Amino acid sequence: SGDLVVFHLGFEMVRFGVWVGLFVFLGLVCSLGRGEIRFKACTYQDAACSQGEECETETSADCADVDKSGLFAGDVGIKVTCNSSLDGIHSVAYYLSDDCSGNALSTSQVNNMCVGRPNTLGFSNSFYLKIECYESAICFSRDSSVLLDSGVYTTLGEVRVGDRVQSVDDNGRSVFSEVFLTQHSSSTRPTAMLSISIENSHEPLVVTHDHYVRVPTVSNPYVKASSLRVGDSIYVVVKGSMERRPIAGISHAMGVPRNVHTMNDRIVVNGVVASCITSNQVFGLDTMNIRHLLVPLKVMHKMGLTSAVSIIDRAVHNIYRSFS
């Protein structure tokens, strides 16, 4: 009987370990959707950083070509190593190549203030630089509008777990789907986003570069916001069904992030059809392709374990940040 007890105890421990491993993995999927450390580098022609703006966004320590138009009469590339706290001073290395090949010409410590790079560094002209490091939260602006099943519009920042927000079904008809997870609820730091204006629409969609939005293509119906161009068509919801609308303009914007996950993985934000899923790599797989692994978290929500879903997401996100 003693052996039997040990066997059952060992079996339960293994089963518990499998479930914990599964939920940690799922939490990792959610957490990696939160983004990575990036920098935004903008160059200017004047010391007030108000004229001739050119901006480039890259992952921390990657190369940014900050002179694509050839304003400075020569290739200019920089690498930025972001401070771990994302605030304060960051390290910048300057190169006379747009791919940062060869040895760095110079290095300096900068922050988000306007600083000059004189031509004594070897560049043909002087230029001025602003650097901002941020965590590229993959989501929408928290000020974006969503429609609740009560018929009331609210902002994403006000959406709570259990709310039913406007979505679309597999046939493109307007439905309402329950929220089982919210992310970035306590975020106050703005992050770099795209502002996508749609023809005959009142509000632009303000969304991060790697978030998926719905487009009228059969082979690839969801694409990253960063792949969109002016004139491309995008889906909006009009009178209960999806309708194609051309993009009128795309510009850079800053917004405080907020993301929500619905039971059908879709949401309508500022009238635009989008996915709750983001483009990121988990063990070499894009999160869009493994979104069905979120089913256990949805089951936990339906079982009333909504707090556990949120705790798993936050805990694994913190672990990820500590090792990233």
Side-chain angles (χ1 to χ4, degrees):
S1 59
D3 291 340
L4 185 61
V5 170
V6 172
F7 172 81
H8 281 294
L9 180 60
F11 177 79
E12 291 299 325
M13 291 178 65
V14 170
R15 186 168 67 170
F16 176 78
V18 169
W19 277 104
V20 169
L22 175 62
F23 289 143
V24 167
F25 173 74
L26 293 172
L28 181 61
V29 171
C30 293
S31 298
L32 289 180
R34 290 174 179 262
E36 57 191 346
I37 304 303
R38 291 185 176 180
F39 68 88
K40 180 181 179 183
C42 296
T43 53
Y44 304 84
Q45 301 177 49
D46 65 313
C49 287
S50 62
Q51 299 178 14
E53 180 183 77
E54 287 193 359
C55 295
E56 182 78 2
T57 300
E58 292 290 349
T59 303
S60 179
D62 283 350
C63 184
D65 174 9
V66 292
D67 187 28
K68 290 186 175 181
S69 67
L71 175 67
F72 308 118
D75 293 327
V76 179
I78 66 171
K79 283 186 178 182
V80 177
T81 302
C82 294
N83 183 292
S84 60
S85 67
L86 303 184
D87 291 317
I89 305 299
H90 312 294
S91 176
V92 180
Y94 302 87
Y95 297 81
L96 284 176
S97 59
D98 57 11
D99 61 356
C100 299
S101 58
N103 296 323
L105 187 66
S106 177
T107 59
S108 66
Q109 304 296 308
V110 302
N111 55 18
N112 62 352
M113 304 298 291
C114 188
V115 296
R117 291 294 95 209
N119 55 18
T120 53
L121 287 178
F123 301 116
S124 299
N125 296 316
S126 299
F127 67 94
Y128 299 85
L129 180 71
K130 272 187 178 180
I131 297 292
E132 180 185 3
C133 289
Y134 60 92
E135 181 182 6
S136 62
I138 306 177
C139 46
F140 309 95
S141 167
R142 65 178 295 121
D143 296 325
S144 302
S145 297
V146 293
L147 178 64
L148 301 177
D149 62 350
S150 63
V152 175
Y153 282 92
T154 188
T155 64
L156 272 178
E158 297 296 324
V159 172
R160 300 291 181 263
V161 171
D163 288 346
R164 292 173 56 82
V165 298
Q166 189 177 30
S167 179
V168 293
D169 62 16
D170 293 338
N171 297 313
R173 294 187 296 261
S174 177
V175 296
F176 291 90
S177 186
E178 186 175 351
V179 174
F180 74 90
L181 174 66
T182 63
Q183 292 178 314
H184 311 292
S185 299
S186 60
S187 295
T188 59
R189 180 196 300 273
T191 190
M193 298 187 178
L194 294 174
S195 178
I196 303 173
S197 300
I198 316 298
E199 285 192 10
N200 300 319
S201 295
H202 297 295
E203 296 179 278
L205 175 68
V206 181
V207 64
T208 48
H209 297 64
D210 293 329
H211 210 104
Y212 281 113
V213 294
R214 185 76 158 87
V215 295
T217 57
V218 176
S219 60
N220 191 24
Y222 286 93
V223 301
K224 293 191 293 185
S226 61
S227 70
L228 297 172
R229 299 293 181 265
V230 174
D232 290 349
S233 291
I234 197 172
Y235 273 122
V236 300
V237 172
V238 179
K239 296 180 180 179
S241 60
M242 294 196 309
E243 179 180 303
R244 296 171 59 164
R245 292 274 180 89
I247 295 174
I250 301 176
S251 60
H252 292 282
M254 297 296 291
V256 177
R258 185 74 190 280
N259 195 34
V260 302
H261 286 270
T262 63
M263 295 296 286
N264 74 356
D265 299 324
R266 308 180 192 108
I267 189 170
V268 177
V269 179
N270 283 4
V272 177
V273 181
S275 174
C276 299
I277 308 299
T278 65
S279 176
N280 216 321
Q281 297 294 309
V282 179
F283 305 131
L285 299 173
D286 191 280
T287 44
M288 177 61 85
N289 297 325
I290 55 176
R291 63 189 182 279
H292 299 300
L293 292 177
L294 293 174
V295 169
L297 296 181
K298 298 176 183 180
V299 172
M300 291 176 65
H301 168 71
K302 284 300 186 181
M303 294 173 59
L305 302 175
T306 55
S307 295
V309 173
S310 180
I311 290 171
I312 290 172
D313 179 63
R314 288 197 304 268
V316 180
H317 172 62
N318 291 334
I319 294 173
Y320 169 70
R321 280 292 304 273
S322 66
F323 286 98
S324 62

